[in-house]
Amino acid sequence: MSDPLAVVAGLPGVPEAVQEAREAVDRLYRHRVLRRRSPEVSAESALRGARASAAIEGADVPLESLRGGEVTDPVVQGALRASAEVGRLAPTWRSAPRQVLARLHALAAAGMTVDPGRPRTASTTTDPLGLGPAPGPEETAARMSALAGLVTGSTAAPALVLAAIVHAELAVLRPFGVADGLVARAAERLTLVDLGLDPKSLAVVEVGHADLGDAYTEGLRAYLKGTSEGVGIWVRHCASAVVHGVRETTAICEAMSR
């Protein structure tokens, strides 16, 4: 199959969901506040995204605690570090995805493992989302190689489709064994930035995943089935997360305008 992502992009309901997300992002980029305060909005988006990503991992802390620098939880700190690095890593994502993922993991898992940034070479029991056993190291390595090929290759599929697949593969494979969810969500945002759907990293897609509740884990479980229907469910969920993330960012913009 020369372009597997294009096949995913054509699954039932996916083109419509992707278009809705695209239109939501386009509307956001026309917000008057972004003419002068885009960097501030991006910084706030990164902060809220890190908080939501950590909350999905079970480390839910008030936003104001993050602003005050009062949080010592290693999961929250890891989410903050990974989120802050997205902009700097975007230019090298498609040319060196393995190195970028290693860097994201080194940031996300610092203080949680003795060897952050290195893929696991043994089985893992880590399962924060209750998805079931992760594949063994050999299957994981093979699938990570395939994922790197998708990132570096050419495709006619929209950015959101690749971002959804990147997120799902990292979440279900758990290639590092620690903090994989933080890496998966940061890599999704990174893909949306690098491929031009959200070049200024404004949409708080992590909040979208969190706000959609059980649909997040249900979408990953559907993806795990490996069927066209299951993959379609997951990609449509990711499109919905972008739409919800845009609403969060729009609220940020409105608050700044007041």
Side-chain angles (χ1 to χ4, degrees):
M1 192 178 299
S2 59
D3 192 353
L5 290 174
V7 176
V8 174
L11 293 174
V14 169
E16 295 83 0
V18 169
Q19 180 64 22
E20 181 184 5
R22 169 84 265 179
E23 291 173 355
V25 174
D26 287 345
R27 286 194 299 273
L28 170 63
Y29 272 68
R30 292 194 292 269
H31 199 287
R32 61 190 182 280
V33 165
L34 296 175
R35 296 171 189 168
R36 296 184 178 180
R37 305 184 68 180
S38 177
E40 293 176 63
V41 176
S42 181
E44 180 68 13
S45 172
L47 184 70
R48 296 191 186 198
R51 177 188 176 276
S53 189
I56 292 172
E57 296 294 299
D60 195 356
V61 299
L63 190 60
E64 290 309 314
S65 296
L66 295 187
R67 296 193 202 284
E70 305 164 6
V71 177
T72 58
D73 186 290
V75 174
V76 179
Q77 291 182 330
L80 287 167
R81 287 191 296 266
S83 181
E85 193 76 356
V86 165
R88 287 186 287 271
L89 290 174
T92 56
W93 172 228
R94 277 185 288 174
S95 60
R98 291 176 184 271
Q99 290 88 331
V100 168
L101 290 174
R103 175 60 179 164
L104 280 176
H105 188 256
L107 294 165
M112 290 188 272
T113 179
V114 295
D115 202 10
R118 295 185 66 85
R120 61 182 171 91
T121 56
S123 298
T124 179
T125 57
T126 302
D127 189 13
L129 299 176
L131 300 176
E138 291 185 2
E139 180 184 346
T140 297
R143 286 176 62 172
M144 287 298 292
S145 292
L147 181 63
L150 289 178
V151 174
T152 59
S154 60
T155 179
L160 195 149
V161 172
L162 177 57
I165 299 302
V166 166
H167 184 157
E169 284 291 286
L170 292 169
V172 304
L173 292 176
R174 284 155 270 170
F176 299 101
V178 178
D180 296 287
L182 300 181
V183 174
R185 289 180 288 276
E188 178 187 28
R189 186 189 274 237
L190 180 61
T191 306
L192 296 175
V193 171
D194 184 39
L195 270 69
L197 177 63
D198 183 16
K200 295 182 180 180
S201 194
L202 299 175
V204 198
V205 63
E206 302 91 343
V207 166
H209 289 302
D211 283 354
L212 289 167
D214 291 343
Y216 179 67
T217 51
E218 289 170 0
L220 285 170
R221 291 192 185 105
Y223 179 87
L224 268 170
K225 295 177 181 178
T227 63
S228 295
E229 180 183 7
V231 173
I233 288 171
W234 170 249
V235 177
R236 294 195 299 272
H237 163 80
C238 288
S240 295
V242 170
V243 173
H244 279 73
V246 165
R247 292 174 187 167
E248 180 79 3
T249 311
T250 302
I252 295 170
C253 292
E254 290 299 317
M256 287 184 176
S257 70
R258 291 193 293 269

